[in-house]
Amino acid sequence: MIFVTVGTHEQPFNRLVKKVDELVSEGAINEKVIIQTGFSTYIPRHCEVHKMMSFDEMQENLKNARIVITHGGPSSFIEALQFRKVPIVVPRQEKFHEHVNNHQVDFTKLIAKRMNNIIPVYDTSDLLETINNYDEIAKTKNAGESSNNKKFNRKLEDIIDELLEK
C-alpha cells in the first residue's frame, strides 16, 4: 500500500494528489493507494480518499504503508521516519500556489543533503520513476537515522538553529 499525506495546510496540494490519482488511473501504480487530501480541491477517483484523518488513522496508515509520500512539512516526514520508512518528500511550491513561500523546498533540500534519510521529488513527473525504483533508492538512504530519534532530533535542532541565524 502507498500512503500519501499532504498535511493540513489550508492551500490545496492538487499537483501531488492529481498526479498520484493519474498514475493509478493509468495502471502505472497497481497497489492500493490511500490519500489524505487535506484542503486539496481535486478529488481523486482511483484511490481511497480521506480529507483529514485522526491521529490513530494516520499512525495506522504510516505503519502499514510500503511507501509513504508526504509534502515537505517536517511533522509529516518525521512521522514516517519514526515508523522506519524512508519517505518520498514532495515539497509544496510557491509558484503553484501550494504555500506562501518555498520554505518546504529549502528545508527538503537541506534535510536530503545533511541527513540523507528522505527521497526528495521536486517535479511530479519524476514521481513514477521514484516509486518504481523505491526499494533501490531507499537502500542508499540513512534509514538507521530514523530509528535513532535523539540523534535525528539533535541534528534537526542544529539545522533549524542555523536557519534562524540567517
Side-chain angles (χ1 to χ4, degrees):
M1 181 263 287
I2 296 175
F3 177 55
V4 181
T5 177
V6 302
T8 58
H9 180 70
E10 63 274 5
Q11 287 173 279
F13 198 4
N14 292 331
R15 180 172 58 103
L16 176 58
V17 174
K18 185 176 182 181
K19 182 63 174 182
V20 172
D21 194 45
E22 286 174 359
L23 292 173
V24 173
S25 170
E26 296 164 357
I29 295 176
N30 294 312
E31 61 191 291
K32 180 177 182 177
V33 176
I34 299 172
I35 305 178
Q36 178 267 319
T37 60
F39 290 96
S40 300
T41 55
Y42 177 84
I43 308 298
R45 293 177 300 189
H46 308 283
C47 306
E48 182 179 319
V49 179
H50 302 265
K51 187 172 180 68
M52 298 292 176
M53 291 184 166
S54 70
F55 177 80
D56 290 339
E57 289 171 314
M58 187 72 101
Q59 298 293 297
E60 189 68 20
N61 284 307
L62 288 166
K63 182 177 99 180
N64 293 331
R66 180 178 75 84
I67 296 175
V68 175
I69 302 172
T70 78
H71 66 122
S75 294
S76 292
F77 67 76
I78 288 172
E79 271 195 289
L81 290 166
Q82 289 175 344
F83 282 94
R84 297 185 178 193
K85 310 290 179 174
V86 177
I88 296 172
V89 178
V90 183
R92 293 170 176 264
Q93 296 182 33
E94 180 183 26
K95 70 181 177 183
F96 298 115
H97 309 289
E98 298 162 347
H99 221 305
V100 297
N101 58 31
N102 280 326
H103 73 276
Q104 284 196 1
V105 173
D106 297 338
F107 193 68
T108 298
K109 286 179 180 177
L110 192 61
I111 295 301
K113 180 180 177 186
R114 292 247 180 112
M115 306 299 288
N116 191 36
N117 61 356
I118 62 173
I119 302 169
V121 172
Y122 304 100
D123 186 333
T124 57
S125 66
D126 298 329
L127 192 57
L128 179 59
E129 182 179 352
T130 303
I131 291 168
N132 286 341
N133 296 306
Y134 176 80
D135 292 332
E136 289 305 311
I137 297 168
K139 287 178 189 174
T140 69
K141 302 301 172 185
N142 291 328
E145 291 290 335
S146 64
S147 64
N148 190 339
N149 289 337
K150 283 186 181 180
K151 186 175 179 182
F152 178 82
N153 288 338
R154 193 167 42 252
K155 284 186 177 185
L156 184 60
E157 286 173 10
D158 291 343
I159 291 168
I160 292 170
D161 288 344
E162 183 181 314
L163 286 172
L164 292 174
E165 289 174 8
K166 292 183 179 181

